[in-house]
Amino acid sequence: MPVNYSSLSTSSANWTYIATAAPSAAASFTFSSISGYKKLKIFGYGYGSLASTYWLLQFNSDAGGNYFGSMWGTSIYMSNSVFGLSPSSTYIPVVAGAQGAAFFNFEINNANSTQAYKDGYGTTISTQTPSYAGTTAGIWKSTSAITSMTVTPQSGTVTGNFYLMGQN
Amino acid sequence: MTRPTILEVNCETQLETVREMNDEEYAKYLADIAAYEAEHPEEDGSVV
């Protein structure tokens, strides 16, 4: 797959606000009809209805094994403090242990590219007892431009305020 | 019991759509809860 990365290395303007999602005991929330941004950033805070669960990020309603993600952090819920997924996982983890207040930030590159895979990285903090702090990274192995992003608790529901920003 | 909702925010129109889970989504949701409770018997399994 030839990728012209020089076309991706250009100066960038400031982040532009796109939309807010405020789920209330929702099984998932989605930002849809996204277009025109080289970078996307999703961030916010909330809490889950169940402890010790992950929040999962997916793009374009793709629930297939097209993701590769991992999470590093400090929590008794993470064996060896590292959570690695297979190269054919079905999501990227963005939050761990979210029954307390959970904050996360995840930034995605090449969002509107139709040549390159989408790679992203972020941070997460949860005040669930014991608290969790970590970093996360992942790849969506698709050359489709991102048109939607969905966050789904691994189980239970999510309540909070989440924001989507874009950059060109 | 009222089913959990699915929230979608359209970034072009800023319109927000909230709907209840359909049968297939709700079945998976309940299965995920059951799997969670099996893995975490010590946790409070209450669902908001």
Side-chain angles (χ1 to χ4, degrees):
Chain A
M1 180 184 67
V3 177
N4 178 7
Y5 274 92
S6 64
S7 68
L8 305 175
S9 327
T10 57
S11 298
S12 295
N14 291 331
W15 288 99
T16 301
Y17 168 81
I18 301 175
T20 298
S24 177
S28 69
F29 65 90
T30 296
F31 291 106
S32 65
S33 298
I34 302 168
S35 66
Y37 295 98
K38 290 179 180 175
K39 285 188 168 189
L40 293 168
K41 176 161 60 178
I42 182 172
F43 63 100
Y45 65 94
Y47 61 89
S49 60
L50 297 175
S52 312
T53 58
Y54 304 107
W55 291 357
L56 320 176
L57 178 64
Q58 294 173 320
F59 303 103
N60 294 14
S61 301
D62 180 5
N66 301 312
Y67 301 83
F68 195 178
S70 59
M71 187 178 275
W72 305 263
T74 54
S75 169
I76 64 168
Y77 295 115
M78 313 292 281
S79 61
N80 299 320
S81 298
V82 175
F83 173 50
L85 295 170
S86 80
S88 57
S89 65
T90 56
Y91 59 85
I92 296 170
V94 290
V95 167
Q99 194 172 37
F103 301 81
F104 81 93
N105 171 70
F106 196 84
E107 190 172 312
I108 301 118
N109 295 313
N110 314 325
N112 65 349
S113 172
T114 55
Q115 287 189 310
Y117 289 170
K118 315 304 180 279
D119 62 285
Y121 52 91
T123 56
T124 177
I125 300 170
S126 170
T127 62
Q128 173 183 315
T129 303
S131 60
Y132 174 80
T135 59
T136 182
I139 295 172
W140 181 41
K141 297 181 288 182
S142 171
T143 55
S144 298
I146 292 173
T147 57
S148 72
M149 298 170 58
T150 298
V151 175
T152 307
Q154 195 173 30
S155 56
T157 60
V158 55
T159 296
N161 290 280
F162 304 92
Y163 310 93
L164 183 64
M165 307 278 280
Q167 190 182 74
N168 279 312
Chain B
M1 174 186 168
T2 303
R3 295 182 179 188
T5 54
I6 302 285
L7 168 64
E8 179 177 334
V9 177
N10 185 306
C11 295
E12 285 184 359
T13 63
Q14 301 294 318
L15 286 178
E16 185 178 295
T17 305
V18 181
R19 64 170 177 82
E20 278 197 350
M21 304 181 91
N22 62 32
D23 290 346
E24 182 180 353
E25 291 165 340
Y26 190 52
K28 182 180 184 305
Y29 173 84
L30 293 178
D32 289 342
I33 295 281
Y36 170 86
E37 289 176 342
E39 290 179 8
H40 302 275
E42 76 284 5
E43 303 287 355
D44 174 10
S46 62
V47 178
V48 173

